[in-house]
Amino acid sequence: MTGGPLLASTLDLLAFSPPGWGATLLVALSKSIMIAIGAFALGLLIGVGGAYGKLYGSPVTRDLLGIYTTVVRAVPELVLILILYFAFTSSLNNLLLAWGFERVQISGFVAGIVVLGVVQGAYATEVLRGAILSVPSGQIEAARAMGMPPLMLAWRVTFPQMLAAAIPGLANLWLIATKDTALLAVVGYAELTLVTRQAASTTKAFFTFFMAAGVLYLVISILSTILFAKAEAWARRGQVRPGSG
Amino acid sequence: MAAVAVLLVIWCATSLNWTWLASEKYHSLILRGIWTTCWLLVVTMVLGMLLAIPLGLAQAAGPWWLAMPARAFCGLVRGTPLLLQLWLLYYGLGSLFPSIPWIRESDLWPILRQAWPYAVLALTLSVAGYEGEVMRGAFKGVPHGQLEAAKAMGMPRFTIFRRIWLPQAIQRVLPTLGGETVLTLKATPLVATITVVDIYAVSSRIRQDTFVVYEPLLLLAVVYMAIAGLIVLLFRWLENRVPQKTA
């Protein structure tokens, strides 16, 4: 096996025009990224609500949130995705039927976002809860004493200060979100991993395609790491660095 | 919390269909699945840790030509989805092997034709990648003065590693190791996608046999939570056995 023809055939396989699979892979990559962004955003929303509920909610709210975070964190993602994928689509349709609406076909895209978002939400709840607790309680009390309404307090005091503590955890969650999109391949959604497998089994070039997909995932993760490091530096602006004061 | 949990259990027991659980056929299948999940977890954790120690040491104290590849390996493992790694090894490597004559004709070939070696390999590399990073931190955390003192006393390098560096690093890494074991447990069902019959594959089979959708998945969730609980207990016990502060 010489280097020349092997490289040429690899480039042919990954070419952007139709006999090559490059364009198909990139479309699949963009779907993966969009699902990851959607799931991360939904997870953040659930996480903010969950963290506030766990810290300041009624005992029943706390119990329910406790069960949610414990169960999601103890059960494998693949199993959760399967349960939620079935449960979400069928129970939404049952609800719609019960209210006298038509049954809808839920796209794999929306289902993927909701399912991964629910998983992300449980982890985000814990990350944000810890971050909120790291805000000095005196500052919150001072803001309350000055008569700040709760929303303004959250927006002006809690959020900006907890951000620096939350960003490393959130960066981890984002990386998990990008990698968890691969699990949607198992329920049959055509994201990067499944499309890669289809390309590989059509051309029999298994190694080439899986390596190519690996490189794509790696690029996302390296870029994300750089961006999150910048974001953390930004969130920590004005803070005293350990060892400098 | 307890009241809500009890209500949930009562609801699960009464309003769902558990009749299939009575069938003898599924008992042995379920036990076999649990067994596969458990040995897979234990084997990959042990092998992964054995790999993680040199990976961590290379990054913490090795020369650059050892540290760089170790860093790159950890980055590769952590930057790509495990499912992709698993498929790369099973379909990719698995399709390359038959074309290499000395592998096809060796005694290992009957083993390499099965799915489980690829599952063990993928999970082991994954554990090594994540744990290698943790071990790097643990090795760096051992106070430098101790190493210098040992060197000054004329201890050989390997003895320094075995008697001073490694024990303290392991001690530091124990709490994270428990978490990593649970994470690995939660990664094991992926091996079902390459035809290894673990507890997840068993539940899928029951679902296909009986057309009962949620109940086998719920059983699965309970099994995973039970194993995760056992792991947590085991590590709590281990942490109490290992003396905490030496520095």
Side-chain angles (χ1 to χ4, degrees), chain A residues 63 73 90 123 179 197, chain B residues 1 78 91 130 186 214:
Chain A
D63 280 1
R73 281 153 23 114
S90 75
Y123 291 90
K179 290 189 288 170
R197 192 178 155 185
Chain B
M1 185 104 169
R78 291 149 57 96
Y91 295 113
Y130 283 92
K186 300 202 304 170
Y214 294 116

Side-chain angles (χ1 to χ4, degrees), chain B residues 14-242:
Chain B
T14 51
S15 65
L16 296 174
N17 173 14
W18 295 102
T19 42
W20 50 273
L21 246 186
S23 159
E24 289 281 328
K25 181 174 86 176
Y26 293 136
H27 292 172
S28 57
L29 205 58
I30 290 169
L31 283 181
R32 193 181 141 207
I34 293 179
W35 166 242
T36 307
T37 297
C38 287
W39 76 251
L40 201 60
L41 178 70
V42 172
V43 168
T44 53
M45 279 312 292
V46 170
L47 291 180
M49 268 312 278
L50 287 181
L51 255 177
I53 291 170
L55 276 172
L57 197 63
Q59 289 181 69
W64 65 268
W65 49 270
L66 272 181
M68 286 260 289
R71 259 203 116 82
F73 172 79
C74 290
L76 275 174
V77 167
R78 291 149 57 96
T80 52
L82 180 58
L83 185 66
L84 188 85
Q85 297 163 12
L86 198 64
W87 286 0
L88 172 71
L89 292 177
Y90 182 66
Y91 295 113
L93 217 56
S95 69
L96 284 186
F97 279 161
S99 61
I100 306 170
W102 64 267
I103 289 184
R104 203 178 54 234
E105 280 147 27
S106 74
D107 294 335
L108 274 176
W109 183 233
I111 298 175
L112 288 177
R113 278 170 57 189
Q114 291 165 330
W116 66 264
Y118 301 95
V120 169
L121 183 61
L123 282 173
T124 300
L125 292 182
S126 172
V127 171
Y130 283 92
E131 256 335 286
E133 199 78 9
V134 177
M135 284 308 287
R136 173 179 66 104
F139 279 125
K140 278 198 165 162
V142 177
H144 208 72
Q146 296 198 9
L147 303 175
E148 277 167 18
K151 218 182 271 174
M153 284 173 70
M155 230 186 228
R157 287 180 76 158
F158 186 73
T159 316
I160 298 180
F161 168 73
R162 190 171 56 88
R163 303 201 44 179
I164 295 169
W165 227 342
L166 192 59
Q168 294 195 54
I170 296 271
Q171 191 178 313
R172 270 157 227 268
V173 96
L174 264 184
T176 10
L177 197 59
E180 186 61 37
T181 312
V182 175
L183 286 181
T184 311
L185 168 73
K186 300 202 304 170
T188 54
L190 289 178
V191 302
T193 63
I194 61 165
T195 71
V196 176
V197 185
D198 71 331
I199 183 66
Y200 173 79
V202 167
S203 94
S204 304
R205 166 112 172 259
I206 295 175
R207 194 177 70 230
Q208 285 151 14
D209 274 11
T210 58
F211 300 107
V212 173
V213 178
Y214 294 116
E215 290 79 354
L217 286 170
L218 272 176
L219 174 78
L220 199 58
V222 170
V223 168
Y224 280 113
M225 285 175 76
I227 301 179
L230 280 179
I231 295 169
V232 170
L233 285 180
L234 175 75
F235 273 90
R236 207 169 284 167
W237 178 78
L238 265 180
E239 277 170 47
N240 286 335
R241 298 258 317 183
V242 175

Side-chain angles (χ1 to χ4, degrees), chain A:
Chain A
M1 202 170 357
T2 53
L6 181 71
L7 187 68
S9 70
T10 302
L11 286 181
D12 283 347
L13 285 173
L14 296 173
F16 287 103
S17 45
W21 287 80
T24 323
L25 287 191
L26 285 188
V27 169
L29 173 71
S30 73
K31 278 188 191 171
S32 287
I33 294 178
M34 266 149 40
I35 287 201
I37 291 175
F40 186 66
L42 180 60
L44 270 184
L45 275 181
I46 298 177
V48 171
Y52 271 95
K54 262 198 165 179
L55 288 172
Y56 308 111
S58 68
V60 177
T61 320
R62 281 185 211 184
D63 280 1
L64 289 175
L65 285 170
I67 290 176
Y68 164 58
T69 53
T70 314
V71 169
V72 168
R73 281 153 23 114
V75 177
E77 270 82 348
L78 187 61
V79 178
L80 280 175
I81 283 167
L82 227 75
I83 296 180
L84 292 172
Y85 209 81
F86 290 135
F88 169 66
T89 46
S90 75
S91 56
L92 185 68
N93 271 324
N94 285 344
L95 268 182
L96 284 177
L97 287 178
W99 289 337
F101 292 101
E102 292 280 300
R103 196 173 261 285
V104 289
Q105 187 67 44
I106 297 156
S107 74
F109 185 76
V110 175
I113 287 181
V114 171
V115 166
L116 291 182
V118 169
V119 177
Q120 287 266 310
Y123 291 90
T125 298
E126 293 302 309
V127 168
L128 295 176
R129 190 177 68 100
I132 291 175
L133 282 176
S134 78
V135 176
S137 61
Q139 300 211 5
I140 293 174
E141 277 164 25
R144 278 208 194 114
M146 284 173 70
M148 246 191 213
L151 259 182
M152 192 193 267
L153 188 153
W155 189 248
R156 290 210 176 151
V157 180
T158 315
F159 280 177
Q161 301 217 51
M162 77 173 196
L163 211 52
I167 281 181
L170 293 181
N172 259 340
L173 278 186
W174 162 251
L175 288 177
I176 292 172
T178 58
K179 290 189 288 170
D180 272 0
T181 54
L183 298 180
L184 294 174
V186 177
V187 285
Y189 180 72
E191 47 62 68
L192 184 53
T193 305
L194 187 63
V195 169
T196 305
R197 192 178 155 185
Q198 286 161 351
S201 42
T202 332
T203 57
K204 300 286 169 233
F206 287 97
F207 216 78
T208 311
F209 277 110
F210 282 124
M211 286 305 260
V215 169
L216 291 179
Y217 279 111
L218 210 58
V219 168
I220 302 179
S221 102
I222 292 172
L223 285 182
S224 315
T225 313
I226 297 172
L227 283 180
F228 270 105
K230 288 222 156 83
E232 194 185 339
W234 171 80
R236 286 202 188 281
R237 74 204 183 285
Q239 278 188 8
V240 182
R241 256 174 266 124
S244 72

